[in-house]
């Protein structure tokens, strides 16, 4: 077999110099545009224009000729880098596509999207049908050309729109959400249209059969992707995170999926960008691909590969062609049709969607930005032989012009939109949730021996994470003697040999293993029954005892978990002994992540069936600390899932009798502070959808007062926050917490989060 010759020294040198110059100029102009309030993509596109025949080719034709006026094979090396950047950019766009957001704003988004797709598609198709033949690369395929122009007119630029909304600090406003939702619907339909038109262009024959085949191919791919593909992507990302646990592994996994899906759609006669976009959407729905990892991927894409793509795309634009009167006139017509179709279509249907005039203008102005997406469409059209260089330059100019218009229109119109009380409440709630303790919990570890306390802990975990995509791992520690554990491969072969030789020995071991496996299965099944239906996944883990049970739990907890939940009964009221067992005590002291300890009451221990009783009232003691706030989040989440009432209580400690003044102490200031503390927690509870009442009182022994309050009001659960500190080599939660845990008439959950 012939060996493929490597790149020559000059070819390699040239492509490295090309990439260096393109990236430097693209990033420089991108930062300059950002500094004056314009999208960076505009500067990155201008970099290619300046380095192309328009400026560099005119000012320094020798330099341009040696750098970029190269052979087709040499330029293809740049195109490969460009396509890699394009695939990564479409993954980022998919990551920003929030399916839940589209569903939440369903009716309004669909109406706006209809106006933003149907009107510009119709006007774009009509424009393509009447444009002079010299603007069509293949005059015999005017229908495909017209469909392509219609698709280009229909697309919006979510990255540009999102960036402008973020800069204006309105991305979470109702109008911002509507722009994103409608833009996502538009772009999703746009990519389907693009894949369909590209498929028609590739067949070379325009007939209903080929069109139907392309559409069916798109629908088949989307159907498989959002059913089987969704599960494969989610399970693979979770497995990689569990098995490897590094950001690099997750990023590699996403790129592998994007390239594989791109290869599949390309093989099907569609575009690779459709596969990359869908992978981005699917990965964005997996909670393991969190903000940190996503930000790393976006940083690499938007700082290196996307600028290279836009700069290389700009190289193909010839501004000199626009100086031709005919081309310039057609360019103005295309620009006008693009703006009238998209802006006019959305403003025209905004009244049907129940929006005000200024909301319609804002949404129309935002979605009129074409930016990166239209450059992608133009690049594909040029590569497929649909567009001429002049038409390509016109579409790129439209993309730049509309991207410059959008920020100006939105800055002018958004201040004129009044914020409703409902919108203000939602934004305040979202601002809190962004820094929420619960929202950061993606992986939870629940060690279990099958005890009543563990089962009740599982019941609380089920309610706590019922509607959250939080993954739960159930851990059982195999504490059996090493001789009865699963043997190594060598030992397995030896035991099989013994079984063949005398028919004994291994049968008892096999029976022991089978019995142990059945016990483990029953234990996990009991706990899983308490979890109920949850949005996240649940795994069963069995670990061999490594030194001690506490060391085994701690080693497992260090593998990327955000919370460890421990079910354990108290040891009694001996002040010198740990509140819980030595194992739990050591885990609490050394755990690398927050821990929640759940202890049931004596009545539940005597009658385990009581743990299935509904939770109707939760007592939430608070002292206003961060740990109390985290415990409040836990209590409110459980209360929302169980439809329970939360009683928020603050107990002021009365001074000792020796410190009291005649006539009793004045605790009015302390009680006022306590009222402020419970009112703050109550406001949070109402924002999170929980029913709350508040209690502020004074007592000599706050722990005893809380136990009495729980008993008097028939509390079904007490949730407390605490900061542990070592005292006499044991974890100490504080006297009030320990008194409540030891004496409470109902189950108690103690969250040690800081």
């Amino acid at each position: 077999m012939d060996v493929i010759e490597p790149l020559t020294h000059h070819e390699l040198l040239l492509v490295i110099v090309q990439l260096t110059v393109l990236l430097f100029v693209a990033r420089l102009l991108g930062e300059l545009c950002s500094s004056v309030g314009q999208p960076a993509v505009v500067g990155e596109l201008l970099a290619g224009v300046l380095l192309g025949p328009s400026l560099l080719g005119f000012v320094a034709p020798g330099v341009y000729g040696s750098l970029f006026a190269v052979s087709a094979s040499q330029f293809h090396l740049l195109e490969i880098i460009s396509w890699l950047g394009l695939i990564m950019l479409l993954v980022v766009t998919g990551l920003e596509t929030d399916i839940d957001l589209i569903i939440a704003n369903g009716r309004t988004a669909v109406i706006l999207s209809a106006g933003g797709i149907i009107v510009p598609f119709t006007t774009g198709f009509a424009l393509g049908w009447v444009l002079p033949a010299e603007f069509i690369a293949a005059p015999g395929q005017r229908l495909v050309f017209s469909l392509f122009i219609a698709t280009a007119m229909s697309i919006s630029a979510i990255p540009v729109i999102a960036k402008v909304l973020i800069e204006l600090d309105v991305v979470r406003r109702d109008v911002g959400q509507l722009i994103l939702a409608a833009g996502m619907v538009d772009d999703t339909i746009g990519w389907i249209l693009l894949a369909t038109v590209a498929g028609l262009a590739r067949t070379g024959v325009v007939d209903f059969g080929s069109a139907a085949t392309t559409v069916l191919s798109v629908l088949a791919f989307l159907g498989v992707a959002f059913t089987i593909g969704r599960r494969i992507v989610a399970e693979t990302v979770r497995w990689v995170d569990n098995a490897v646990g590094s950001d690099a592994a997750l990023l590699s996994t996403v790129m592998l999926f994007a390239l594989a899906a791109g290869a599949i759609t390309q093989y099907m006669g569609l575009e690779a960008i459709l596969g990359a976009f869908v992978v981005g959407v699917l990965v964005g729905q997996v909670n393991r691909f969190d903000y940190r990892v996503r930000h790393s991927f976006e940083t690499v894409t938007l700082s290196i590969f996307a600028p290279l793509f836009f700069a290389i795309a700009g190289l193909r634009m010839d501004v000199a062609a626009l100086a031709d009167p005919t081309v310039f006139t057609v360019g103005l017509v295309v620009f006008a049709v693009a703006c009238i179709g998209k802006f006019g279509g959305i403003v025209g249907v905004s009244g049907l969607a129940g929006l005000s005039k200024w909301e319609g203008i804002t949404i129309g102005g935002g979605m009129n930005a074409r930016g990166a997406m239209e450059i992608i469409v133009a690049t594909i059209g040029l590569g497929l032989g649909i567009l001429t260089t002049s038409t390509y330059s016109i579409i790129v100019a439209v993309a730049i012009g509309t991207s410059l218009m959008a920020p100006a229109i939105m800055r002018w119109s958004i201040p004129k939109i009044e914020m409703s009380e409902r919108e203000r409440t939602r934004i305040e709630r979202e601002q809190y949730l962004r820094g929420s303790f619960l929202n950061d919990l993606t992986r939870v570890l629940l060690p279990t021996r099958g005890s009543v306390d563990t089962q009740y802990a599982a019941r609380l975990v089920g309610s706590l994470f019922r509607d959250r995509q939080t993954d739960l791992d159930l851990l059982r520690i195999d504490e059996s003697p090493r001789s009865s554990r699963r043997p190594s491969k060598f030992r397995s072969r030896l035991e099989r040999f013994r079984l063949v030789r005398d028919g004994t020995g291994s049968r008892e071991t096999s029976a022991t293993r089978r019995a142990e496996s059945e016990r483990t299965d029953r234990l996990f099944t009991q706990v899983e029954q308490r979890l109920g239906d949850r949005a996240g996944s649940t795994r069963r883990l069995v670990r061999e005892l490594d030194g001690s049970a506490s060391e085994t739990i701690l080693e497992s907890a260090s593998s990327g978990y955000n919370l460890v939940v421990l079910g354990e009964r108290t040891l009694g009221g001996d002040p010198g002994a740990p509140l819980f067992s030595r194992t739990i005590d050591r885990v609490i002291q050394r755990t690398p992540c927050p821990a929640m300890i759940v202890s049931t009451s004596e009545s539940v221990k005597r009658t385990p069936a009581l743990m299935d009783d509904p939770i109707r009232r939760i007592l939430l003691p608070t002292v206003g600390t961060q740990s109390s706030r985290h415990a409040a989040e836990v209590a409110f989440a459980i209360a929302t899932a169980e439809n329970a009432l939360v009683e928020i209580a603050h107990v002021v400690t009365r001074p000792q009798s020796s410190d009291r003044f005649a006539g009793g102490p004045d605790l009015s200031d302390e009680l006022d502070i306590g009222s402020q503390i419970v009112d703050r927690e109550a406001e949070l509870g109402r924002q999170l959808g929980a029913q709350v009442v508040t209690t502020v009182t004074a007592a000599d022994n706050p722990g005893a007062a809380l136990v009495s309050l729980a008993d008097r009001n028939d509390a079904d659960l007490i949730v407390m926050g605490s900061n542990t500190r070592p005292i006499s080599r044991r974890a100490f939660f504080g006297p009030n917490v320990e008194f409540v845990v030891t004496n409470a008439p109902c189950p108690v959950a103690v969250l040690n989060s800081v």
Side-chain angles (χ1 to χ4, degrees), residues 453 566 568-570 580 597-601 605 741 746-749:
D453 297 275
L566 305 161
E568 186 77 1
R569 66 181 61 197
T570 61
F580 302 104
I597 307 93
V598 178
S599 179
T600 57
S601 60
K605 291 181 176 67
V741 172
C746 61
V748 180

Side-chain angles (χ1 to χ4, degrees), residues 393-620:
S393 299
I394 289 173
I395 293 179
V396 172
V398 170
I400 295 174
T402 54
S403 297
L404 289 171
M405 289 174 57
I409 294 175
M410 295 170 71
R411 284 191 178 95
W412 170 64
S413 60
I414 285 178
K416 297 177 173 60
I417 302 174
E418 295 184 4
M419 185 182 296
S420 66
E421 186 61 32
R422 175 177 167 273
E423 181 182 4
R424 183 177 288 104
T425 301
R426 177 183 61 79
I427 291 175
E428 290 174 353
R429 179 175 182 269
E430 290 178 349
Q431 287 175 343
Y432 173 77
L433 289 178
R434 274 197 288 269
S436 165
F437 169 73
L438 284 183
N439 276 10
D440 290 335
L441 302 182
T442 58
R443 293 184 66 197
V444 176
L445 180 66
L446 175 59
T448 177
R449 292 178 178 173
S451 66
V452 172
D453 297 275
T454 302
Q455 292 184 48
Y456 194 80
R459 189 229 168 131
L460 296 185
V461 167
S463 298
L464 185 58
F465 300 110
R466 182 168 298 170
D467 298 323
R468 290 178 169 83
Q469 290 288 341
T470 301
D471 297 330
L472 173 66
D473 288 349
L474 306 178
L475 172 65
R476 180 183 181 277
I477 300 174
D478 183 2
E479 301 183 50
S480 59
R482 288 189 178 272
S483 59
S484 64
R485 295 183 195 164
R486 185 175 297 277
S488 64
K489 291 183 178 179
F490 173 78
R491 187 174 169 190
S492 296
R493 291 170 184 158
L494 179 62
E495 297 229 354
R496 285 198 298 270
F497 171 75
R498 289 175 58 194
L499 178 61
V500 170
R501 185 185 62 182
D502 58 15
T504 62
S506 168
R507 289 177 179 169
E508 292 182 5
T509 305
S510 178
T512 301
R513 289 196 210 108
R514 187 161 51 252
E516 178 65 21
S517 176
E518 291 174 355
R519 282 196 298 272
T520 299
D521 185 67
R522 285 197 300 271
L523 181 149
F524 281 135
T525 300
Q526 287 178 339
V527 175
E528 288 168 347
Q529 288 174 346
R530 304 297 178 190
L531 290 171
D533 295 329
R534 297 189 315 107
S537 66
T538 303
R539 292 194 310 163
R540 298 178 174 186
L541 304 179
V542 178
R543 297 280 187 266
E544 289 189 357
L545 185 67
D546 185 11
S548 65
S550 59
E551 292 297 328
T552 306
I553 294 173
L554 289 168
E555 182 181 357
S556 300
S558 63
S559 303
Y561 290 97
N562 312 116
L563 177 69
V564 176
V565 180
L566 305 161
E568 186 77 1
R569 66 181 61 197
T570 61
L571 296 179
D574 186 355
L579 183 62
F580 302 104
S581 68
R582 295 283 182 186
T583 295
I584 300 301
D585 190 77
R586 281 193 288 269
V587 171
I588 294 169
Q589 291 186 69
R590 297 169 53 193
T591 179
C593 61
M596 185 170 76
I597 307 93
V598 178
S599 179
T600 57
S601 60
E602 288 300 322
S603 59
V604 173
K605 291 181 176 67
R606 289 192 302 267
T607 312
L610 292 177
M611 75 174 71
D612 294 323
D613 287 352
I615 298 175
R616 293 291 178 241
R617 192 180 187 95
I618 299 173
L619 178 62
L620 174 66

Side-chain angles (χ1 to χ4, degrees), residues 639-658:
T640 302
E642 298 278 347
N643 195 26
L645 174 71
V646 179
E647 181 175 10
I648 308 170
H650 177 80
V651 181
V652 175
T653 305
R654 290 197 184 99
Q656 299 295 321
S657 57
S658 58

Side-chain angles (χ1 to χ4, degrees), residues 272-291:
I273 57 170
L274 178 62
F277 174 72
V278 170
V279 166
V281 174
L282 296 179
V283 172
Q285 296 175 334
V286 183
N287 64 335
R288 295 295 185 87
F289 200 75
D290 57 18
Y291 173 79

